[in-house]
Amino acid sequence: MSNYLNCKKGLFSWLFTRDHKRIALLYMITVFSFFIVGGFFALLIRLELFKVGETIVNSAFYNQLMTYHGAVMIFMVIIPGIPAFLGNFVLPLQIGAKDVAFPTVNLLSWYCLVIGAFVTLTSLFLGGVDTGWTFYTPYSIETGTAVIPVVLGAFIMGFSSILTGLNFIVTIHQLRAPGMSFFKMPLFVWSLYSTAIIQVLATPVLAITLLLLVAERVLKVGVFDPAMGGDPILFQHFFWFYSHPAVYIMILPAMGVISELICAFSRKRIFGYKALVFASLGIAVVSFFVWGHHMYVSGQSEWAGIVFSVLTMLVGVPTAVKIFNWIATMFRGSLKFDTPFLYALGFLFLFLIGGVTGYMLAVLPFDVHVHDTYFVVAHFHYVMVGGSIMGIMGGFYYWFPKMFGRLYNEGMGQLGFALIFIGFNVTFFPQFILGINGMPRRYADYKAPYEALNQISTVGSWLIALGFIVAFTFLLWAMFKGRKASANPWGAKTLEWQSSSPPPHENFLETPVVTKEAYE
Amino acid sequence: MTDYVARLEKLEHFLIGISFLVCVLIVIVFVYFSFRYKRKRDDEKLEESSHHNTILEFTWSFIPFVIFMGSFVWGWILYSDFRREAPRDSLEIHVYGQKWNWEFVYKNGRKTSNELFVPVKRSVKLIMTSRDVIHSFYIPTFKIKQDVLPGLYTSLWFKANRKGRFEVFCTEFCGTGHSTMGAKLKVMSLEDWNNWLKTDPYKNLSLVEVGQKVFQGRCTACHNSTKEKLIGPGLAGIYNTQRELEGGMTLLADENYLRESILNPSAKISKGYANQMTPFAGLLSEEELSGLIEYIKSLN
Ligand SMILES: [Cu+2]
Ligand SMILES: [Cu+2]
């Protein structure tokens, strides 16, 4: 039967495709390739930190490793990961549409990502960059390293994010199947919608900030550097005005995936649908007003700190609600522990720890102590990896049969999960303790008392690597050789499963008509 | 250590305790559900169960809200204490961050590098600024930190209630030497401190020894006293040799060359190195400068 994978052939039918499903697969290849690159940097970082003293790389090189690890993972993996890869594939299918609203713009977004990434990585051949992914001024103005290509690359990749967001908003408003009112949409769609709002409103601020940085470096316009009459704290405000909401670009869609997984593998309607919808929207809105919690010790005023602290606490409420609703969904369900569901449970556990440590960090004097220490490093890895990466992997396993029409190997999927999950905790849990004991982050070397915990952490990183090797090898194998999948192997209720696996070129042979509630 | 630490530790215990409790409870529930509701047959019939319950949903939003607000207020109270003006009678010390060392300047003009001496049981106020990029002054044992900015003073105060030696770290990324930019805080009795303050650090030292002392405080973040390169060239054996500069020139490293290299390093950049060195013009006394030059000569 003709499907989207075999309806056209040849490299150009992929590079110039306007089919959202094929574009999603282009994103898949890009995102996972960069994930391997970023992961490789991470392994080197952990290896250097295995022992006190300089072991495999010097501090100048270490600083570049930590910069590229951060920049690659954030701009090239996590931000495009769920919205652009999974979102692109699933969104039109879930709302019963043929494609997104602007298929050509959708392709353009992918090119923005690839070109931006390419520009960023050219800096590797110009001596590298060592500012950290945060580009704080005046260091980023003064350093002799290749800041400009990295910043311009991030600028270009920003457009990828903005255009995807715009595309999704219009798609959701315009292309829903007959009968699908807003409150009948699956929660993944809602989470993409909330994410898109942030992408469209916050990313331009980053773009402007980065341009100002370039202007300051090249044209010597004094904006951020006090030596030229600028204000370095202003940069931090601009930067976090984007980058805090960006944290929710990374986590909201993962939460959407988790809602789908929990419903599908519990065989139940989601508990508290509307609460979850409003929690997503609420998080999106409040996320714009909490950026200052990254700056408690920056020299901003005492009152600013207090206001940002209370607002940050408010984000905690909808987040807690989500966790309770997911667990309530499992109540009296019929739970099947396939790999995607294991990732969902992994998400719950890790995100819970990420969440409660986030709440601790919101408390002013505690943050003053652990700010810029490994406590923060551990916290955001629990949220980003424990959250976003678990979401991406869970979603990938879940929609894999739909994407490729084949089943992955369940045993190997579970083995991969187990290694990643255990490895993750071994790597990052000790870092909370290191942080409370005062080990600063972005340190190429540390004092002897911190060594034991660092060694445990490094061993954990090897387990994670092994886990991903297992997971990716068998997924790759299944893509070509896996058993054929039926249209709806999980017995899930959302529309994408009504189409064949893999779906035909324009998704549905007959436009579906929606009469039921979501997940009913 | 300080009263503040004692109070903060109470809050920390509360935060860790309640977080742990909440995590354990939630994990117990979902692990229990996992076993209890495991699918046994593929065509299993589900009992009808509700998918919405206003009272329940309100309760589990409200309880976290109360915990969050309570913690916020507790934090606020402590934070205001941390940020409040230092007591009038505080001892004031100026702190300068620069790549990659800390300089401390006391009221009587005494200076130290990477070692901060303070008396016990006396409030100390640090008035801090940076000579280049942003640094951050962090005393882990006292659980306090504050960013140190160029072109602006920030301050930090504490009152140590026991003697001892404590670590100081730089916690704002500031480049290659960031992880070595530490200092030692030495808390001593008031009497010892007063005596220490009055001593002349260079008394009875030869010029080379003065130089060595300054070198160890200010230069070792970037220079070895051997031939081995660090961020800058190793300084052993450079005196009286031809130095290659960026741009192809070579120059004899005589006393004047060394003097200029220290005071105004960007005038001539050594080949293969970045223009990274802090200009020391105005930061060293004539005696210290001559000492450094003699010390570098003595490394030959
Ligand atoms: Cu934030
Ligand atoms: Cu630093």
Side-chain angles (χ1 to χ4, degrees):
Chain A
M1 207 181 82
S2 161
N3 60 48
Y4 82 101
L5 290 170
N6 63 16
C7 68
K8 290 202 192 85
K9 289 224 152 52
L11 185 63
F12 287 101
S13 77
W14 284 90
L15 289 181
F16 295 110
T17 180
R18 293 166 25 172
D19 177 5
H20 69 100
K21 299 182 287 307
R22 286 188 161 210
I23 294 175
L25 295 195
L26 292 178
Y27 272 113
M28 174 190 82
I29 296 169
T30 335
V31 165
F32 284 128
S33 310
F34 286 130
F35 180 72
I36 292 169
V37 174
F40 183 66
F41 292 140
L43 288 174
L44 286 179
I45 290 176
R46 283 305 337 154
L47 203 57
E48 168 60 36
L49 294 177
F50 189 69
K51 274 195 143 148
V52 180
E54 189 179 309
T55 46
I56 56 164
V57 297
N58 63 22
S59 58
F61 193 71
Y62 178 90
N63 293 340
Q64 298 200 358
L65 280 177
M66 69 89 181
T67 304
Y68 283 104
H69 167 66
V72 168
M73 287 303 201
I74 287 177
F75 295 119
M76 305 173 201
V77 179
I78 301 186
I79 288 184
I82 298 188
F85 159 40
L86 293 177
N88 245 317
F89 192 91
V90 177
L91 169 69
L93 282 161
Q94 274 196 333
I95 60 171
K98 288 190 171 130
D99 206 312
V100 293
F102 308 114
T104 316
V105 174
N106 201 14
L107 182 63
L108 178 66
S109 307
W110 181 70
Y111 276 100
C112 284
L113 178 70
V114 174
I115 294 170
F118 182 75
V119 173
T120 298
L121 295 179
T122 50
S123 64
L124 281 171
F125 305 99
L126 299 170
V129 70
D130 72 339
T131 57
W133 79 281
T134 46
F135 309 116
Y136 269 22
T137 54
Y139 186 73
S140 56
I141 308 281
E142 290 188 18
T143 176
T145 54
V147 175
I148 290 179
V150 177
V151 165
L152 286 180
F155 177 80
I156 301 170
M157 288 187 277
F159 281 95
S160 167
S161 187
I162 297 173
L163 292 175
T164 302
L166 198 65
N167 219 335
F168 284 6
I169 293 179
V170 179
T171 307
I172 293 169
H173 273 276
Q174 298 294 321
L175 301 183
R176 278 168 289 126
M180 180 175 276
S181 64
F182 260 84
F183 284 109
K184 284 186 182 150
M185 295 192 315
L187 287 163
F188 184 52
V189 175
W190 269 112
S191 74
L192 289 173
Y193 187 72
S194 316
T195 309
I197 294 174
I198 306 178
Q199 287 177 302
V200 171
L201 293 182
T203 319
V205 178
L206 177 74
I208 294 163
T209 311
L210 296 179
L211 277 192
L212 286 174
L213 186 66
V214 173
E216 184 156 30
R217 254 187 97 101
V218 180
L219 307 172
K220 308 281 174 234
V221 189
V223 189
F224 305 125
D225 187 352
M228 295 185 252
D231 180 349
I233 302 184
L234 182 66
F235 177 85
Q236 299 177 22
H237 280 295
F238 281 178
F239 181 82
W240 290 113
F241 187 83
Y242 164 75
S243 295
H244 187 80
V247 170
Y248 293 97
I249 297 181
M250 311 180 207
I251 196 70
L252 275 173
M255 293 171 158
V257 172
I258 300 308
S259 298
E260 299 297 319
L261 298 183
I262 292 194
C263 287
F265 291 91
S266 307
R267 292 228 170 123
K268 271 197 51 189
R269 276 180 75 174
I270 193 87
F271 186 89
Y273 175 89
K274 282 209 172 145
L276 282 164
V277 168
F278 288 116
S280 287
L281 292 172
I283 291 174
V285 173
V286 183
S287 74
F288 279 97
F289 304 100
V290 300
W291 77 89
H293 65 208
H294 298 266
M295 298 169 60
Y296 290 154
V297 300
S298 67
Q300 76 178 0
S301 79
E302 182 181 343
W303 274 103
I306 292 163
V307 170
F308 284 122
S309 170
V310 72
L311 288 170
T312 305
M313 289 296 183
L314 290 183
V315 190
V317 178
T319 313
V321 166
K322 285 192 170 235
I323 292 183
F324 296 139
N325 280 359
W326 288 323
I327 293 176
T329 305
M330 291 163 62
F331 179 61
R332 293 194 176 161
S334 165
L335 311 181
K336 184 138 194 298
F337 293 86
D338 286 334
T339 312
F341 192 52
L342 291 179
Y343 276 101
L345 294 178
F347 174 100
L348 275 183
F349 182 78
L350 302 178
F351 186 72
L352 186 61
I353 297 180
V356 294
T357 50
Y359 140 77
M360 293 165 76
L361 285 168
V363 177
L364 288 153
F366 183 71
D367 182 79
V368 169
H369 170 35
V370 296
H371 175 79
D372 271 340
T373 68
Y374 264 82
F375 191 91
V376 174
V377 175
H379 158 69
F380 70 73
H381 281 91
Y382 265 86
V383 178
M384 311 272 82
V385 185
S388 307
I389 301 289
M390 288 278 144
I392 294 181
M393 293 303 288
F396 189 34
Y397 275 103
Y398 176 58
W399 283 300
F400 189 91
K402 183 62 44 186
M403 289 177 179
F404 301 103
R406 290 176 188 279
L407 294 171
Y408 61 86
N409 180 316
E410 187 56 50
M412 287 302 147
Q414 299 194 0
L415 177 67
F417 167 77
L419 287 167
I420 295 170
F421 180 78
I422 295 169
F424 179 85
N425 286 297
V426 175
T427 309
F428 292 103
F429 201 86
Q431 298 186 0
F432 284 122
I433 306 169
L434 284 171
I436 293 196
N437 293 344
M439 177 173 161
R441 67 190 278 203
R442 296 179 165 178
Y443 262 30
D445 192 14
Y446 50 81
K447 302 265 177 208
Y450 299 124
E451 193 174 38
L453 287 168
N454 269 294
Q455 296 197 334
I456 298 176
S457 181
T458 301
V459 172
S461 73
W462 301 333
L463 286 178
I464 303 181
L466 194 65
F468 276 108
I469 291 173
V470 171
F472 286 153
T473 314
F474 284 89
L475 281 172
L476 206 62
W477 185 84
M479 242 174 240
F480 301 100
K481 295 268 153 49
R483 276 190 299 126
K484 288 259 182 299
S486 62
N488 190 358
W490 314 120
K493 306 282 178 161
T494 38
L495 285 184
E496 75 270 31
W497 302 104
Q498 291 186 14
S499 168
S500 54
S501 299
H505 176 58
E506 287 192 326
N507 295 349
F508 298 96
L509 300 174
E510 232 170 286
T511 306
V513 178
V514 179
T515 50
K516 290 185 182 163
E517 299 293 318
Y519 310 108
E520 191 175 318
Chain B
M1 270 49 76
T2 62
D3 293 344
Y4 175 76
V5 168
R7 295 173 59 200
L8 179 54
E9 269 172 358
K10 283 209 191 79
L11 174 59
E12 272 180 25
H13 292 156
F14 168 77
L15 292 177
I16 294 173
I18 192 137
S19 300
F20 185 76
L21 194 75
V22 168
C23 286
V24 168
L25 284 179
I26 293 180
V27 170
I28 287 178
V29 173
F30 84 69
V31 169
Y32 170 73
F33 283 5
S34 298
F35 285 103
R36 176 71 180 70
Y37 302 117
K38 193 171 172 12
R39 190 176 303 169
K40 296 187 187 75
R41 290 201 334 271
D42 211 42
D43 55 350
E44 195 165 78
K45 278 268 166 303
L46 282 186
E47 322 164 37
E48 216 21 68
S49 65
S50 77
H51 44 82
H52 177 62
N53 182 333
T54 314
I55 295 172
L56 188 63
E57 288 180 64
F58 176 79
T59 318
W60 73 36
S61 325
F62 190 69
I63 293 173
F65 178 76
V66 171
I67 298 176
F68 291 159
M69 286 306 130
S71 316
F72 157 71
V73 172
W74 190 344
W76 177 7
I77 294 168
L78 257 179
Y79 181 71
S80 305
D81 188 44
F82 162 68
R83 286 288 294 253
R84 110 183 113 91
E85 275 302 307
R88 282 268 168 76
D89 64 342
S90 299
L91 178 83
E92 293 181 332
I93 301 172
H94 282 263
V95 177
Y96 296 90
Q98 76 182 60
K99 287 179 193 165
W100 285 284
N101 56 61
W102 295 101
E103 189 182 24
F104 305 100
V105 181
Y106 305 79
K107 279 287 173 67
N108 72 346
R110 177 95 200 248
K111 295 178 185 172
T112 52
S113 296
N114 300 335
E115 280 181 315
L116 171 59
F117 295 86
V118 302
V120 71
K121 298 210 168 71
R122 171 92 194 264
S123 341
V124 175
K125 178 180 179 187
L126 305 176
I127 303 169
M128 312 190 290
T129 189
S130 166
R131 293 192 173 119
D132 38 51
V133 299
I134 302 178
H135 302 281
S136 191
F137 193 86
Y138 176 38
I139 313 175
T141 333
F142 294 179
K143 299 181 189 271
I144 52 175
K145 74 164 67 69
Q146 172 62 52
D147 281 5
V148 178
L149 302 153
L152 188 74
Y153 287 119
T154 51
S155 67
L156 192 63
W157 75 272
F158 60 87
K159 185 172 170 185
N161 53 21
R162 84 172 162 76
K163 291 187 274 185
R165 274 165 68 90
F166 307 100
E167 298 284 353
V168 172
F169 293 131
C170 173
T171 44
E172 185 60 68
F173 180 69
C174 56
T176 316
H178 171 54
S179 48
T180 56
M181 188 170 162
K184 287 274 185 301
L185 167 64
K186 286 192 185 164
V187 182
M188 48 219 286
S189 70
L190 188 60
E191 203 187 342
D192 290 350
W193 186 77
N194 275 324
N195 291 336
W196 170 83
L197 196 63
K198 277 187 246 123
T199 51
D200 174 359
Y202 301 138
K203 200 170 154 199
N204 297 332
L205 293 187
S206 71
L207 209 46
V208 174
E209 286 164 333
V210 170
Q212 181 175 22
K213 207 163 173 175
V214 179
F215 185 83
Q216 272 156 5
R218 313 298 291 279
C219 318
T220 43
C222 305
H223 293 288
N224 281 319
S225 56
T226 58
K227 281 193 169 30
E228 212 177 321
K229 77 184 249 190
L230 200 59
I231 287 149
L235 295 185
I238 70 165
Y239 175 66
N240 232 345
T241 57
Q242 292 290 331
R243 305 300 299 159
E244 279 185 61
L245 302 183
E246 283 292 333
M249 262 211 322
T250 49
L251 254 184
L252 182 71
D254 57 6
E255 282 85 353
N256 269 322
Y257 171 85
L258 293 180
R259 186 184 172 89
E260 191 188 36
S261 292
I262 297 169
L263 295 182
N264 184 15
S266 46
K268 302 190 176 72
I269 307 293
S270 309
K271 190 163 177 211
Y273 292 91
N275 182 10
Q276 282 241 20
M277 180 167 158
T278 331
F280 279 89
L283 303 183
L284 298 169
S285 70
E286 218 29 70
E287 184 194 9
E288 289 170 325
L289 189 57
S290 313
L292 276 172
I293 291 173
E294 287 309 317
Y295 174 67
I296 294 172
K297 285 161 73 172
S298 77
L299 295 174
N300 273 28

